[in-house]
Amino acid sequence: MLITHAAVATFEAEPRLIEDGALLIRDGKIAAVDTTTALATRYPDEDRLDADGQIALPAALCGHTHFYGAFARGWAYPGPPAADFVQILERLWWRLDKLLTPEDVRYSALVCLADAIRHGTTTLIDHHASPNAIEGSLDIIAEEVVSSGLRASLCYEVTDRDGAARAKAGIAENARFLRRMRQAPHPQLAASFGLHASLTLSDATLADAVAAANGLETGFHIHAAEGIVDVEDSLEKSGKRVIHRLHDAGILGPRTIVAHAVHVDDDEMAVLAETGAWVTHQPRSNMNNAVGTGQVEALLEKGVKVALGNDGFSNNMFAEMKTAYLVHKLAQGDPRAMSGDLVFKLAYPANAQLAKLFWPDQKLGVLAPGAVADLVLVDYHPTTPLTAGNLPWHFLFGYEASMITTTISAGRVLMRDRRLLTLDEEEITARSRELAGALWKRAA
Ligand SMILES: [Zn+2]
């Protein structure tokens, strides 16, 4: 396939913007990037997709999300509004996830996958919970990831909050799915070992998880120091701050993802840097839960690898980027904080490097020969000069994700002219509404 007449933003280390550019896609990968004239002359018989002056840019990636949370949208959970982070967990998320049936798990994932295609996010790292439908839950999600045409890494969040049997079942589900991925790898799927957070995990369960992960060549995917309560709980349980407790338990390493790390001190940052663990930043979630602002710039300065997630907010990663761009300025009282190019570094090169843990053979986040053909076409017509250098600010101030008309993953067109081609969006929407309504009734 030859995509023609696009302004191609390559997002390479030396970014280029090719006016009236073209992309040749072969076997799911980008085979050539050049002007339309050059590639149309060289490949006259190739199937064409005319971008008609739209901007072509790499598809977005998400470093931390929760497909299980889709039915919370618009839900007035019973009782008074949560007054702090623990109450948000108890009244909203831990009530919702206990009510999920296998069919709910499927449709909640489908809603998020459709949303991801619509917003041009093709690579997602998910963290799943359904305490009353644990065994096989990752297979259900995997099935729909494959049918969507997207790419996702999956795990189950192990926790002690629902008793020892469910903690064991969570460990077993991670180990089972990790083994499945080793025995039958799939280019759209990957696995990690999920853990909820220090505050819901005993030393014994952490040790069981580490033992179960042994030999599976995996890291862990865990929330850490998201709220101050996680720090207080860790100090009380172990006399150590969260990152030290997790490090001593054998959780940290270059394949581990630590979501949030809002409340970490200098020593903990040094441990994160030494172990090579990833931190993901989710500013919309941090603001919504009123837990504080992730210390992204301090972490980076200390040599910690930081990527960008959405924590189950919409898969519109541009909304997450815009929030990151804005909140750090407010929090630090400094308009120079979190520059536009730094936001882009988190969202593209850092997220692509994180994705390499799970898909080592797939080059993501750039439009260059040899990269996987994951891209979007954006119907954005700038009213000021657009260059490769000022592109981040155009996208932070001008671009809206609703301007995405076409989403392509591994060369497969998943959305064309805003119509989803791999998922039946009408059916998903209708069934999701029924299932979410029924779940809300059960909660009441
Ligand atoms: Zn999360």
Side-chain angles (χ1 to χ4, degrees), residues 4 19 86 128 142 197 199 267 269 313 356 376 383 406 421 439:
T4 56
E19 300 285 351
V86 169
H128 174 67
L199 83 162
D267 283 350
M269 289 187 198
F313 267 71
K356 267 234 170 301
V376 293
T383 52
T406 299
L421 302 178
L439 183 147

Side-chain angles (χ1 to χ4, degrees), residues 243-244 265-272 302:
I243 297 302
H244 296 301
D265 66 15
D266 284 358
D267 283 350
E268 290 175 288
M269 289 187 198
V271 171
L272 289 167
K302 291 264 181 346

Side-chain angles (χ1 to χ4, degrees), residues 61 123 125 278 350-360 362 364:
L61 307 93
T123 303
I125 299 174
W278 279 88
N351 271 3
Q353 198 192 334
L354 172 59
K356 267 234 170 301
L357 289 180
F358 302 107
W359 297 278
Q362 301 188 33
L364 293 159

Side-chain angles (χ1 to χ4, degrees), residues 64-66 68 127 157 196 221-223 226 259-260 280 282 285 310-312:
H64 172 76
T65 195
H66 300 284
Y68 79 81
H127 196 266
E157 65 162 65
H196 174 246
H221 184 176
I222 183 168
H223 299 105
E226 179 175 1
H260 302 293
T280 63
Q282 291 75 217
S285 166
N310 66 28
D311 215 12

Side-chain angles (χ1 to χ4, degrees), residues 285-355:
S285 166
N286 292 164
M287 292 167 78
N288 188 48
N289 291 332
V291 290
T293 315
Q295 307 173 64
V296 174
E297 286 158 307
L299 286 161
L300 290 169
E301 247 165 57
K302 291 264 181 346
V304 180
K305 296 178 290 190
V306 184
L308 193 68
N310 66 28
D311 215 12
F313 267 71
S314 73
N315 288 311
N316 175 353
M317 290 306 289
F318 274 86
E320 201 71 43
M321 289 161 71
K322 287 179 188 193
T323 306
Y325 182 75
L326 297 172
V327 70
H328 293 271
K329 293 171 174 57
L330 180 67
Q332 295 177 41
D334 185 345
R336 296 167 299 181
M338 188 60 79
S339 65
D341 44 359
L342 180 54
V343 175
F344 259 53
K345 271 186 195 137
L346 298 180
Y348 291 96
N351 271 3
Q353 198 192 334
L354 172 59

Side-chain angles (χ1 to χ4, degrees), residues 85-86 89 94 159-161 196-202 222-234 237 242 245-246:
F85 178 51
V86 169
L89 293 174
W94 296 350
T159 174
D160 287 313
R161 72 178 145 96
H196 174 246
S198 175
L199 83 162
T200 68
L201 288 161
S202 65
I222 183 168
H223 299 105
E226 179 175 1
I228 194 71
V229 62
D230 203 20
V231 182
E232 291 163 354
D233 172 88
S234 179
K237 258 183 201 153
V242 177
R245 175 169 188 246
L246 295 180

Side-chain angles (χ1 to χ4, degrees), residues 16-40:
R16 290 184 294 155
L17 183 70
I18 305 167
E19 300 285 351
D20 199 11
L23 293 151
L24 179 70
I25 299 173
R26 291 264 169 90
D27 301 323
K29 287 189 175 169
I30 295 169
V33 185
D34 209 328
T35 61
T36 295
T37 310
L39 292 188

